[in-house]
Amino acid sequence: MSAKENKMIDALRYASYAVNHLIGVKPGENVLIIVDTATEPEVYKAFAAAVNAAGGEFTIAIQPSRTEPKDFHKLTEPIKKAYEGADVVIPATASCGAALYGASPITWPLLREKKLRQFSFNQRSLRNLTEGGATADYDEIRKNGEKLKSVLEKGKKMKITTELGSNLTAGMEGREMQTELGFARNPGQSGCLPDGEVSFDPVSGSANGILYVDGPIANIGVPSTPVKITVSNGKITAVEGGCEEAGRFEHVIKTIENADNFAEIAIGLNPKSQRTGEFNEEKKGLGNIHVACGRSAGSHRKFEVWSTIHYDMVIHNPTIELDGRIIVDKGRHVY
């Protein structure tokens, strides 16, 4: 058996796990799989086969890839209309976040009204379906995620430091703690693969300090040297670093409306996630955090700050304090 055939067998295995255990597709349900021309065919074929085996009806919608930041959330008009007929949507555009983020004005009302559930494989590759975080025990991740959420819900202020020199504080009192733990079995729920994080959008204007980003940046890649980001009153005011990635990120911050908004802090929980240089793999990793700029994070509600981008940035081995109490010590969870 060839290596490609083995990969397809693994893809079918984990797509079946996702469709049956994490999403819980039932006979007769309509599942919309949205891809672009950069999505590997093995990915959507594996999900479609799993949906079919579960008794569901799949529809695969393919749109052009998007390579310019201004187009990253652009969906074709027919696909926008297709969401209305789906019980489950699997966003799987490989080049950009169009099927997930660009569809937010459509999907969030449907999620809020419990007319839809969503399971993202957005900006991921075949490798993300067959290795690393996809192979984790999601029942265990859900248990640990609910525990971390209960800890964070009591917090008023978070402090993030790293050995590289990061030192940032952000308010969190009254903010909703959001869990992304892989499961989307009920209408209104969202999950993805790989998954495993608890996140929140900081109190507006409360984030201050500096961060050294040493992991991958969404749509940009892994910086060859850490990128220093200065945050003042909830805005990214400076981007420094002697690498190409820093220059590209600074251009995004300066040219896209509200890209400078400090939008999210998220703590990873997946012990199987690997350091591959892919932000959607690494940001879920146990021992990592990610922060985001641009459009605010949120849960089925209007965004406090809107931008056409939401760029995640991964930071390795942080120390996190919650109201002065260390809950993550150099990447090790100690709460």
Side-chain angles (χ1 to χ4, degrees):
M1 187 174 292
S2 69
K4 186 174 182 180
E5 288 172 326
N6 282 330
K7 274 289 183 187
M8 194 62 203
I9 289 171
D10 287 341
L12 288 166
R13 173 187 173 189
Y14 290 110
S16 179
Y17 173 77
V19 164
N20 290 285
H21 187 59
L22 301 180
I23 309 172
V25 171
K26 295 180 282 293
E29 285 196 307
N30 285 293
V31 180
L32 174 65
I33 304 169
I34 303 172
V35 303
D36 60 20
T37 50
T39 305
E40 294 159 282
E42 293 86 354
V43 168
Y44 56 80
K45 286 180 180 179
F47 277 111
V51 169
N52 185 64
E57 295 282 337
F58 67 83
T59 298
I60 300 170
I62 304 176
Q63 73 163 36
S65 297
R66 311 296 188 190
T67 57
E68 295 296 326
K70 64 182 178 62
D71 295 328
F72 279 168
H73 296 132
K74 185 178 178 182
L75 282 169
T76 63
E77 291 301 316
I79 289 178
K80 289 180 183 179
K81 292 178 170 59
Y83 287 83
E84 293 286 344
D87 299 298
V88 178
V89 172
I90 301 178
T93 47
S95 70
C96 64
L100 181 64
Y101 301 123
S104 294
I106 302 168
T107 58
W108 282 37
L110 295 172
L111 288 165
R112 188 170 52 242
E113 295 163 15
K114 301 189 185 311
K115 295 180 178 179
L116 179 76
R117 60 195 192 276
Q118 182 169 261
F119 190 84
S120 175
F121 199 73
N122 183 66
Q123 288 179 283
R124 291 160 167 87
S125 67
L126 178 62
R127 196 210 67 77
N128 298 122
L129 184 57
T130 60
E131 304 174 28
T135 70
D137 180 345
Y138 280 89
D139 293 300
E140 186 71 14
I141 287 174
R142 179 164 59 179
K143 181 179 73 173
N144 293 334
E146 293 299 335
K147 181 178 181 181
L148 176 57
K149 178 185 177 184
S150 69
V151 171
L152 295 178
E153 284 175 334
K154 301 178 178 67
K156 296 180 180 180
K157 187 176 184 179
M158 179 176 287
K159 181 179 181 180
I160 300 169
T161 58
T162 65
E163 292 186 334
L164 287 175
S166 298
N167 191 330
L168 178 134
T169 59
M172 55 193 298
E173 187 173 12
R175 300 313 245 187
E176 179 183 2
M177 296 299 129
Q178 300 168 52
T179 58
E180 295 180 19
L181 307 175
F183 288 88
R185 295 183 64 90
N186 301 311
Q189 292 183 334
S190 295
C192 64
L193 199 69
D195 210 351
E197 69 174 72
V198 181
S199 67
F200 67 96
D201 48 337
V203 174
S204 297
S206 71
N208 288 282
I210 60 173
L211 291 172
Y212 284 86
V213 177
D214 57 347
I217 302 172
N219 304 306
I220 290 176
V222 181
S224 55
T225 57
V227 176
K228 180 183 177 182
I229 295 169
T230 301
V231 182
S232 300
N233 300 322
K235 299 288 185 182
I236 296 174
T237 55
V239 178
E240 302 170 72
C243 60
E244 175 193 353
E245 293 80 15
R248 290 170 59 195
F249 183 60
E250 183 180 32
H251 178 73
V252 168
I253 295 298
K254 288 183 175 180
T255 60
I256 296 179
E257 184 179 6
N258 290 329
D260 62 349
N261 178 54
F262 190 77
E264 178 186 21
I265 297 173
I267 301 174
L269 288 164
N270 194 316
K272 293 284 191 176
S273 288
Q274 302 170 344
R275 289 195 183 181
T276 63
E278 301 162 293
F279 79 95
N280 270 325
E281 174 78 17
E282 290 200 23
K283 74 177 187 177
K284 303 294 184 178
L286 184 68
N288 297 341
I289 63 168
H290 70 271
V291 299
C293 69
R295 186 183 57 260
S296 296
S299 179
H300 308 172
R301 59 177 172 79
K302 291 183 178 179
F303 301 105
E304 283 191 347
V305 178
W306 173 258
S307 176
T308 58
I309 65 129
H310 178 92
Y311 274 22
D312 292 323
M313 300 165 271
V314 177
I315 297 170
H316 299 138
N317 303 320
T319 293
I320 302 173
E321 296 178 38
L322 195 66
D323 301 329
R325 170 196 172 196
I326 293 177
I327 62 169
V328 177
D329 186 7
K330 297 178 183 177
R332 186 169 61 91
H333 288 224
V334 295
Y335 48 88

